[in-house]
Amino acid sequence: LLTLTLTPLLHAKDFPYGKNHDYPAFQAIDLNKDDQLTATEIDKAASSLLTLDIDQDGIPSPVELGGPGQFFGWLRLQNTIRVMDRDGDTALSKSELANAPAQLKRLAAKGDGNGILSKHETYDPRETLGGGQTKADPEKGVGPMLEYIVNYPRPSKVIAPGSDPRAYQGYFLYTESGVSSDVQINTGTYLLHPSGKKVHEWKTKRYSPEGSAAYLLDNGNLLRNVAPSDWLAIEDFSVGAHGMVEILDWDGNVLWDYQRHEKGRHVLHHDIEPLANGNILLLSYEAKTPEQVAALGGKKATGIRWFEKILEIKPNLEDGSTEVVWEWDVTDHLIQDEHAELPNYGDPSAHPDRLDLNFIRPGERQFHFNSVDYHAGRDQLLVSSMNYGEVYIIDRKSGKIIYRWGNPAAYGMGTAADQIIAGQHDARWMDDDSLPHTGDFTVHNNRAGKLSGKTKAGPFAMGVTHSAILEVKLPASDGDSYPREAGKPFVGNITWQYKPEPLDSWYCPFMGCASRLPNGNTLVVNSHNKRVFEVTPKGEIVVNFHIPGPGRIFRVYKISSNHPALKRNLK
């Protein structure tokens, strides 16, 4: 049974190691103590690490390796351990020890190519606690910052799943990933009973990066995104990248997978969407060189910038093949007003169906799409762009952007003061008539407003900002467009929203999701600390708990006990 808690999840403590880079794993491998690991020393890593095995059980434990450390993930911030520890438990199993030389050679290959690991190539500067601080002070190093993030906001009353009859009595489904210092640990997807008890899991031999979502299909199969390799292979991509989607049977056997993961070209990221016909919608980062960005009319780039593509694929579970049946490329829908000689030149305010390439300052990610949802009746896609602070409706037939909402300044129809959503995630159609609703879509508004009288911000604007859930009604549509008054931005009527009470009791700095339940309640997750809570239409909290242990959760869903897969497989 899960231990349900809302007490602080992290405690800064003094541990025997951690001062002046006194890290046993590195020192054990560094036989000649010259602060670098040669090819010969790397070849002997397995036997060298066993010198730390004080209890002689053949498995160097977290304590024997110098941990657990001042905060969750501290030990794995040492890249020597991070690359060897394949399952994320911060111990080194016998198989991990045997494979240690090969993994360390991978790490060496990412460096200057001389086959030697210097200290600066094996240590992550985030692992130190700035100034020796042990308090959760975001201004004093990343150690306290991580503790601050996981513990924020202040704890509140636990309401265990199943304890309040007003809560929807469904099963919880989620995929777990590591915290920022444990990216791509080997974890899995889990199903909890309405009471919170774990009743099933789909483990993975692959990796679960941040932004991992999972969907239970009616036939009992599980659709989810995973990473084909660990953090070392995926660090060349931007945030939320995973690179692979797979379908498993109830017992965890992989029936089919599809990979789009090529350095310097493209990678799947964030959300996936199963369709009724068996197809799947995917988001894909697409790399653009500085020259390509300039050819599009973009401001000067100093390296790769990640643009967006949406793919619809058709999986074949019989032969394992995949067919791309539809794709949407954001570069076909751009406008810019700085280079008149280019074909996409124009006034962004006169072309709200196109995205202003130069609206934001140049950065690694241009748009940062983080959710995609499909409305079969309208044949339209709903997409969230975190960087632009907008949601878009894309007509699947024409590919045109026929509606946008959240930040009219993004198309020259407003100012910063007119922005409604910011940092948002999980824009979702209200297209299921079995779910009570007054609007057309919901969105998890991460940065919904400022806290009165609060001026000192922690990381990710913590301490000065609160979150909200919005339900939005669209203007009446003629089927192919949503009307807009000439010279004015698109409008959307907020028909319901949830704001925390008090306002400083809930803030989700990144990720997060919200889903409407059959009884009218709304399920919400704070991804950064795995807090799950459920609110009634009146805003009353009827479930409130943390899923224990380190890690993060991109999405949590509640599934009816009448779901065909559960009726078939749970006894």
Side-chain angles (χ1 to χ4, degrees):
L1 188 67
L2 286 172
T3 302
L4 307 180
T5 178
L6 272 175
T7 57
L9 302 178
L10 298 179
H11 302 279
K13 298 179 181 179
D14 292 326
F15 290 94
Y17 303 104
K19 296 180 176 64
N20 301 318
H21 294 299
D22 182 22
Y23 301 120
F26 182 89
Q27 292 192 358
I29 303 170
D30 182 19
L31 298 176
N32 64 2
K33 308 306 177 188
D34 65 350
D35 286 339
Q36 62 181 7
L37 307 183
T38 65
T40 299
E41 289 171 328
I42 289 174
D43 285 336
K44 297 178 180 178
S47 58
S48 298
L49 288 164
L50 280 175
T51 63
L52 303 175
D53 183 25
I54 298 172
D55 60 10
Q56 298 185 346
D57 65 350
I59 302 175
S61 69
V63 172
E64 291 167 336
L65 290 170
Q70 296 94 327
F71 52 87
F72 269 145
W74 175 86
L75 195 60
R76 278 177 58 88
L77 276 178
Q78 300 172 49
N79 287 335
T80 45
I81 292 176
R82 194 178 180 196
V83 76
M84 294 185 293
D85 177 28
R86 308 301 289 167
D87 60 9
D89 65 356
T90 62
L92 295 179
S93 67
K94 293 180 180 179
S95 62
E96 288 170 338
L97 281 174
N99 199 33
Q103 294 303 321
L104 290 170
K105 288 176 182 177
R106 290 180 62 222
L107 187 59
K110 293 285 284 190
D112 55 21
N114 63 1
I116 296 174
L117 280 171
S118 64
K119 179 170 287 188
H120 78 270
E121 290 173 325
T122 59
Y123 287 130
D124 188 318
R126 297 175 300 166
E127 68 200 44
T128 58
L129 287 170
Q133 298 294 317
T134 57
K135 294 182 179 180
D137 185 343
E139 298 181 351
K140 299 294 185 180
V142 170
M145 186 186 80
L146 291 177
E147 181 174 322
Y148 182 93
I149 289 172
V150 174
N151 287 331
Y152 187 87
R154 59 183 175 78
S156 55
K157 180 182 177 183
V158 172
I159 304 175
S163 63
D164 191 319
R166 295 174 297 172
Y168 179 64
Q169 300 302 302
Y171 286 74
F172 300 86
L173 178 73
Y174 63 93
T175 292
E176 190 166 69
S177 66
V179 295
S180 61
S181 53
D182 279 346
V183 176
Q184 277 85 286
I185 64 171
N186 192 328
T187 181
T189 303
Y190 304 91
L191 185 70
L192 308 182
H193 186 271
S195 65
K197 180 181 179 181
K198 186 184 295 182
V199 293
H200 193 67
E201 63 183 76
W202 294 262
K203 298 296 284 185
T204 177
K205 294 181 180 179
R206 289 160 176 160
Y207 297 84
S208 298
E210 293 185 348
S212 295
Y215 297 88
L216 185 61
L217 307 179
D218 286 350
N219 60 8
N221 292 338
L222 185 82
L223 170 68
R224 70 181 177 191
N225 45 18
V226 292
S229 189
D230 64 2
W231 63 276
L232 193 59
I234 209 167
E235 67 176 355
D236 297 307
F237 302 103
S238 195
V239 62
H242 48 80
M244 179 177 280
V245 61
E246 64 182 10
I247 294 177
L248 302 87
D249 65 17
W250 182 263
D251 297 320
N253 301 303
V254 177
L255 305 177
W256 165 90
D257 59 37
Y258 172 70
Q259 181 171 325
R260 185 177 176 86
H261 179 283
E262 186 174 347
K263 181 179 177 180
R265 288 197 62 196
H266 47 231
V267 66
L268 300 178
H269 71 97
H270 287 92
D271 202 8
I272 54 178
E273 166 77 346
L275 303 179
N277 62 0
N279 292 355
I280 306 165
L281 288 176
L282 307 172
L283 298 176
S284 178
Y285 282 136
E286 302 293 312
K288 301 297 178 187
T289 64
E291 295 76 18
Q292 289 172 321
V293 173
L296 290 169
K299 295 184 184 296
K300 184 178 180 180
T302 57
I304 282 179
R305 293 182 76 180
W306 296 102
F307 283 65
E308 298 287 348
K309 218 176 228 190
I310 304 173
L311 305 174
E312 180 181 341
I313 62 171
K314 180 179 181 179
N316 188 322
L317 274 62
E318 294 184 2
D319 62 13
S321 64
T322 303
E323 179 185 0
V324 177
V325 298
W326 180 83
E327 65 179 57
W328 183 91
D329 193 326
V330 73
T331 61
D332 297 328
H333 306 274
L334 300 179
I335 194 166
Q336 52 81 30
D337 58 3
E338 297 187 16
H339 300 276
E341 74 279 8
L342 296 177
N344 62 357
Y345 177 80
D347 179 2
S349 66
H351 300 274
D353 59 328
R354 293 181 172 269
L355 305 183
D356 182 2
L357 178 58
N358 295 315
F359 169 65
I360 63 171
R361 291 180 297 177
E364 183 187 54
R365 298 178 308 281
Q366 179 66 39
F367 300 99
H368 192 143
F369 288 178
N370 56 31
S371 70
V372 59
D373 197 25
Y374 179 68
H375 194 302
R378 304 185 189 202
D379 199 18
Q380 295 169 0
L381 282 68
L382 182 68
V383 178
S384 165
S385 169
M386 192 186 83
N387 281 8
Y388 278 49
E390 293 186 288
V391 295
Y392 309 122
I393 294 178
I394 299 171
D395 179 73
R396 190 187 178 284
K397 293 187 293 294
S398 67
K400 289 184 178 181
I401 298 171
I402 59 175
Y403 178 84
R404 58 198 298 178
W405 183 83
N407 188 12
Y411 53 105
M413 288 285 182
T415 67
D418 299 309
Q419 186 168 356
I420 304 169
I421 57 177
Q424 79 287 343
H425 287 73
D426 199 22
R428 191 178 304 201
W429 285 112
M430 303 299 295
D431 57 344
D432 186 343
D433 291 337
S434 69
L435 302 180
H437 58 277
T438 55
D440 291 291
F441 68 88
T442 57
V443 62
H444 181 289
N445 191 9
N446 292 58
R447 300 187 182 187
K450 294 182 178 180
L451 301 176
S452 178
K454 304 293 185 180
T455 59
K456 187 177 181 180
F460 300 99
M462 289 182 173
V464 299
T465 313
H466 69 85
S467 297
I469 307 300
L470 306 180
E471 185 174 349
V472 181
K473 183 71 175 176
L474 293 164
S477 169
D478 61 8
D480 296 317
S481 64
Y482 294 90
R484 176 180 63 89
E485 188 175 343
K488 294 188 177 181
F490 287 101
V491 297
N493 181 30
I494 298 174
T495 57
W496 177 86
Q497 65 179 309
Y498 168 73
K499 290 183 178 180
E501 179 59 45
L503 282 177
D504 66 353
S505 64
W506 173 49
Y507 175 54
C508 185
F510 44 82
M511 298 195 287
C513 76
S515 55
R516 183 60 45 82
L517 301 172
N519 66 350
N521 291 353
T522 302
L523 184 71
V524 186
V525 64
N526 255 35
S527 296
H528 68 290
N529 62 14
K530 300 197 297 184
R531 178 193 174 197
V532 180
F533 63 100
E534 183 179 331
V535 298
T536 68
K538 294 181 179 180
E540 303 162 304
I541 297 179
V542 293
V543 172
N544 195 30
F545 72 106
H546 280 291
I547 293 175
R552 289 178 178 161
I553 297 172
F554 184 54
R555 298 277 179 82
V556 175
Y557 299 105
K558 255 189 174 181
I559 301 173
S560 167
S561 58
N562 291 322
H563 189 286
L566 300 187
K567 292 178 69 174
R568 184 182 306 112
N569 292 288
L570 289 181
K571 307 301 181 183

